[in-house]
Amino acid sequence: ELYKQRLLYPSLSCRRWVWEADKILEMKIPENVATFIINSFDRLPFEVLSALVVMSCFGASADISLMEVLEREIEQPIIAPLDEAVAHSVLGKRNGEFYFMHDKLQEAAYSKMKPEERCLHHNRYGLALGFVAARERDDRLLLTAVSQINHGGPQAVIDEEQAVVVANLNLGAGKKAMNMSDFYSAHSLF
């Protein structure tokens, strides 16, 4: 943050870091690192913050291909804003995935959702991915989708029709887990 505000920068002529001590001392820097990070999030463009919130639902990292599928399904810009977050040093990008540069950054992005709405976000993303998984017979995507749906919990299911869809996705994921001899996961899905 100090670097972005040009209060701390490398000097080629001095061959060392240079800082604006008076201006740094005037800054209001919170004692809590999480508060500092959350405050820096407020300066990000809305689309970038929205994409970070989406990604935070998947944990510390997410496959770019997964985010591309989700972007198409929920019709919300995700990839370009996440690339912008890379430019802001909030995310890193390597080996086909985006990752938060620090766990506090993921927590800060996740905390931007109201606690009572988190389950709805997880459910929405899970259902969107579940439909693609069923259509394309993609087992890996199915497991990710069901994980999101179940993270949302039963309170996120809006009607009986959706409850049947959720049950069928869980059944499919449970059968897949059994085929992989992952009986612990299968038990939790049935």
Side-chain angles (χ1 to χ4, degrees):
E1 191 62 32
L2 296 175
Y3 178 78
K4 287 179 186 174
Q5 293 183 24
R6 300 290 299 154
L7 299 176
L8 173 68
Y9 52 91
S11 170
L12 294 177
S13 60
C14 297
R15 296 174 52 190
R16 64 181 177 89
W17 285 89
V18 179
W19 54 91
E20 304 291 335
D22 294 337
K23 290 179 182 176
I24 292 171
L25 290 172
E26 291 172 7
M27 288 181 68
K28 290 183 181 179
I29 300 175
E31 295 290 325
N32 185 333
V33 173
T35 304
F36 183 71
I37 290 170
I38 290 170
N39 291 343
S40 69
F41 267 38
D42 292 336
R43 290 188 282 280
L44 293 172
F46 176 77
E47 274 192 343
V48 173
L49 188 54
S50 294
L52 288 169
V53 167
V54 170
M55 187 181 144
S56 73
C57 289
F58 293 86
S61 64
D63 287 343
I64 294 171
S65 60
L66 175 70
M67 292 292 102
E68 289 170 340
V69 169
L70 191 59
E71 179 178 62
R72 281 192 307 272
E73 292 303 307
I74 67 172
E75 298 178 352
Q76 175 184 337
I78 297 175
I79 299 299
L82 291 181
D83 281 331
E84 191 171 339
V86 171
H88 285 281
S89 301
V90 174
L91 295 179
K93 185 178 180 180
R94 74 167 175 255
N95 300 329
E97 73 175 13
F98 288 109
Y99 60 93
F100 283 96
M101 298 296 280
H102 193 278
D103 62 331
K104 291 292 184 192
L105 293 170
Q106 188 264 336
E107 291 171 16
Y110 196 73
S111 74
K112 288 294 184 178
M113 290 182 284
K114 294 179 184 173
E116 64 274 10
E117 292 178 359
R118 291 176 184 159
C119 64
L120 301 175
H121 287 271
H122 285 287
N123 191 54
R124 178 179 176 220
Y125 307 147
L127 287 172
L129 295 172
F131 291 127
V132 175
R135 185 175 63 235
E136 297 179 5
R137 298 193 185 284
D138 184 332
D139 293 335
R140 184 168 169 249
L141 191 57
L142 174 63
L143 295 172
T144 301
V146 168
S147 173
Q148 283 295 307
I149 291 168
N150 292 344
H151 197 76
Q155 68 272 21
V157 177
I158 58 172
D159 58 26
E160 258 186 63
E161 184 181 330
Q162 192 178 82
V164 170
V165 169
V166 168
N168 284 328
L169 289 169
N170 270 279
L171 177 62
K175 287 179 178 179
K176 179 60 184 167
M178 282 180 55
N179 289 340
M180 295 172 14
S181 298
D182 184 358
F183 301 111
Y184 179 79
S185 294
H187 179 273
S188 71
L189 296 167
F190 289 125

